[in-house]
Amino acid sequence: QVQLVESGGGLVQRGESLRLSCAASGSLFNIHSMGWYRRAPGKQRELVASVTGEGITNYADSVKGRFTVSRDNAKNTVSLQMNSLRPEDTAVYYCNLKKGSGSYVSGEYWGQGTQVTVSS
């Protein structure tokens, strides 16, 4: 099993920044990628950003240029630096870890979620 613990959510104003962190523990072998998803009120959960062990990143178009995902393989952590926040970024953010290799995902784990609220 894998446990993911998030931290860093909160309430900010438009244009401000927040940094989310996620620490993974447990059975940490064969990790394919780590990253962040979010679910806004009334919407489906969507990928925000992810990073593989080799450092290959993937971002949602809506956050490109504003958010940066980073990973510390030695500490088994993944972070999301969010700059120039907008009210539409308001959501519950979930840490995600996928196991597998190449295009094959053998397992997926989720954190409990952390609320990010951006006021206008």
Side-chain angles (χ1 to χ4, degrees), residues 30-110:
N30 201 27
I31 297 176
H32 174 274
S33 63
M34 296 182 71
W36 297 88
Y37 286 69
R38 68 185 180 188
R39 177 178 284 153
K43 295 186 178 181
Q44 291 187 334
R45 186 163 53 189
E46 63 174 355
L47 171 70
V48 178
S50 66
V51 56
T52 68
E54 294 76 24
I56 299 171
T57 57
N58 184 31
Y59 291 92
D61 288 343
S62 60
V63 307
K64 285 180 180 177
R66 301 188 297 123
F67 291 10
T68 302
V69 64
S70 58
R71 178 175 166 181
D72 187 327
N73 291 332
K75 296 181 179 180
N76 296 309
T77 59
V78 62
S79 298
L80 184 68
Q81 178 66 41
M82 304 184 292
N83 299 328
S84 302
L85 282 162
R86 305 167 179 169
E88 53 265 39
D89 294 317
T90 295
V92 178
Y93 284 69
Y94 297 90
C95 182
N96 173 269
L97 183 150
K98 292 182 175 63
K99 288 191 173 184
S101 62
S103 59
Y104 176 65
V105 176
S106 60
E108 189 168 29
Y109 302 88
W110 297 93

